[in-house]
Amino acid sequence: MQEPISWVGARRLLRRLRDIMAAGGSAQARLDQIVRVIAADIVAEVCSIYVMRAGEVLELFATEGLKREAVHRTRLRVGEGLVGDIAAYARPLALADAQHHPKFAFRPETGEEIYHSLVGVPILRDGRVLGVLVVQNRTQRHYTEEEVEILETVAMVLAETLATGELVGASELAPTDGIALLPVRLDGMRINAGIGIGQALLHHRRIAVRRVIAEDPQTELARLETALGELKSALDTMLASADMAHGEHREILETYRMVIGDRGWTRRVREAIQTGLSAEAAVQKVQNDTRARMAQVADPFFRERLGELNELTDRLLLHLGAEDEQPKPAELPDDIVVVARDMGPAELLDYDRAKLRGLVLEEGAPTSHVAIIARALAIPVVGRVRDAFSKIDMLDPLIVDGERGVVFVRPGEDVQQSFSESVRLSAERAASYAAARDLPAVTRDGERVALHLNAGLLIDMPHLHETGADGIGLYRTELPFMMRASFPTVDEQAQIYGRVLDLARGKPVIFRTLDIGGDKGLPYLPDGHEENPAMGWRAIRIGLDRPAMLRQQLRALIRAAAGRPLHIMFPMIAEVAEFDAARAVLKLEYERQVAAGTPPPAELKLGAMLEVPSLVWQLPTLLERVDFVSIGSNDLLQFLFATDRTNPRLADRYDLLSPPVLAMLRRVIADCAARGAAVSLCGEAGSHPLEAMALIGLGLRSLSVSPPAIGPIKMMIRSLAVRPLATYLETLIGLPGHSVRAKLHDYAVDHGIAI
Ligand code: PEP
Ligand code: MG
């Protein structure tokens, strides 16, 4: 086969670049030589390299053809001019008539007015733009696709060398003088309040490719084939193993099919090898291109696929001998803010909690389990921060403002100062809540509201006494399971539950049986691929299908109680028959334990979580059997509105403070009141003062909330008169609008209710 001319040309050019890089000399001298060689090779009058400095400023670092005095003087912000445009969109631009492009920004010091055509490509690494490589010609030249490809390959080589600091030192990448550098501010959605200050830790692997340019494409193609083969058999072994270790089976399987089976993908890698890159650099180049292109896509499905693709290509890179650059735990600074595209709860728990100061997510939704865990750990979280990954670099200083949903990257002195001020103010507020610790949660018109805590880890337990809460209204037993590598034994479980009861010092604790599945996978319990995991095999469904697992947990609970009162509730009950089946498992286990000599609990109370709408229509029957009901509004709302609670795109689609939810809750509360049944709510909504106000207005007298919410909710209760609110709520239930949030907010403000 006749090789396309571009491959030969590209290989020759890359070899020259490698020789320049290997020859030593000052970084500037090497950059100058690089632009000269590229210009000559591509037959262009101009070749320039712009490097991204801190603060999103692109600075001309080297040029062949433009005026020398412009070097280190010409600077463009991202988005400014054609160069800024290439950086902003992370994609190439080839223009025969650049000067008439609306984005053209004339810089007199460069003398570029005589050049008509321009082709530029972003210098990309890890989906981030490190700079822009530009070629210009006097004539109105139409650049070919091959030429753009060659420049992209060259940019890939430059990216690796820029990243290793060989060409531009870290000090040169520091903020420029003479250009006012505002701290970068990224706006997102508030997911958990609080302020966190620390250094960024990007939650994904960084794979360092050391050898970028290769001598012989045939050798590299063979290496690629070998690595693909190795990866394939490694994945096959993993998939075939009995327990599909590491719980990554679904993602791996899908991505594996997508990538290895995708001829387009491997073809692009092979072509990149033909242009002179090593196999690993070629894989990384294609990964970079895909990342940059996909970064513009908002669709969560594609973004998820992209995450999986990255994961697989990272594995392939490791097979090709690239090195994992992720810092080891011991190398991490004391205060870290984790930055992730999205993340499951177990991944967050993998981080050293003593160092974790905040979490920034490109995706993220307030009722996702990672958000709930972060709340339990009192870690401020800002979600839906677009471009967090491309704007934040490893170890960048960050301030996470969970109160306002803002992240400050490399904040200046002024920002830091104002934050010390808000940290002081929130400390003051915390002190006022602490002062209210022993005050009763009683409304102005004398209604007492029981305030319980949501917990799930032993470290949550001290909050019970610090906040003066009445008890633990929801103990999520799955969290310790998620932090382990294998299923805990009955003894291990009993030890945890016993410790929880010890630490509760007689206050009631409601243990919820395992609620795994959905977004809470256990690495050691394969659940198979599910199209709709939130509506899939989870919670009590697993418990009933695997009764041994449920029985073991119940045995552990009965043993842990050791004669003390025991409160248990079952999650995701969809119908009375499920509750009966779960209760039968408990009854059997109880009898066995008592027969075996375990002291029976002083009292055994049994409840169901109301999380599936079908159960609303069977409440009267259910209430004859349960001691209490706990409304799990996180799931209840996602099923009621058919909106995935973890999908950030849908977060605004439904609201607890909307007529249909208020109408449903009014009915549930009335049904319970009619039968004298205890009812509480343990979803996240209860932790927000405005929502809690509405719930109390609807007649609820018990809430279970996250520890930091106890103070604010108690203050709200103490400033509220329930009776007029109840009357007002009646007028809202029939309204046609999407939400009555604004009306309730105004009501609270007008009536001096502390929300
Ligand atoms: C709920 O669904 O409201 C609930 C409390 O359970 P979880 O958030 O753990 O699913
Ligand atoms: Mg739930």
Side-chain angles (χ1 to χ4, degrees), residues 493-510:
Q493 292 185 51
Q495 210 182 0
I496 299 173
Y497 308 142
R499 192 85 191 100
V500 171
L501 289 173
D502 293 344
L503 292 169
R505 290 189 242 140
K507 287 191 178 183
V509 178
I510 298 179

Side-chain angles (χ1 to χ4, degrees), residues 297-301 363-365 384 644 646-653:
V297 179
D299 188 310
F301 175 80
E363 317 255 304
R384 292 161 90 180
D644 179 351
T646 63
N647 186 339
R649 262 188 160 183
L650 303 177
D652 302 329
R653 284 265 157 222

Side-chain angles (χ1 to χ4, degrees), residues 50-59 78 87 129-132 173:
Y50 293 81
V51 174
M52 182 86 83
R53 299 191 63 159
E56 307 252 283
V57 178
L58 290 150
E59 181 173 308
V78 168
V129 178
L130 302 186
V132 175
L173 294 177

Side-chain angles (χ1 to χ4, degrees), residues 369 512 515 520 538 571-572 609 611 632 634-635 645:
H369 280 106
R512 175 176 75 180
D515 182 13
K520 288 184 287 193
R538 51 175 293 205
M572 289 279 294
M609 284 194 75
E611 302 183 275
N634 304 335
D635 276 313
R645 69 194 254 190

Side-chain angles (χ1 to χ4, degrees), residues 528-565:
H529 169 66
E530 296 189 309
E531 285 299 329
N532 267 315
M535 296 198 285
W537 197 54
R538 51 175 293 205
I540 199 64
R541 300 166 186 184
I542 299 182
L544 294 176
D545 288 352
R546 296 273 174 92
M549 228 169 80
L550 178 59
R551 248 195 336 264
Q552 282 183 12
Q553 186 176 33
L554 296 171
R555 189 180 316 153
L557 284 166
I558 295 167
R559 285 195 195 159
R564 293 175 280 191

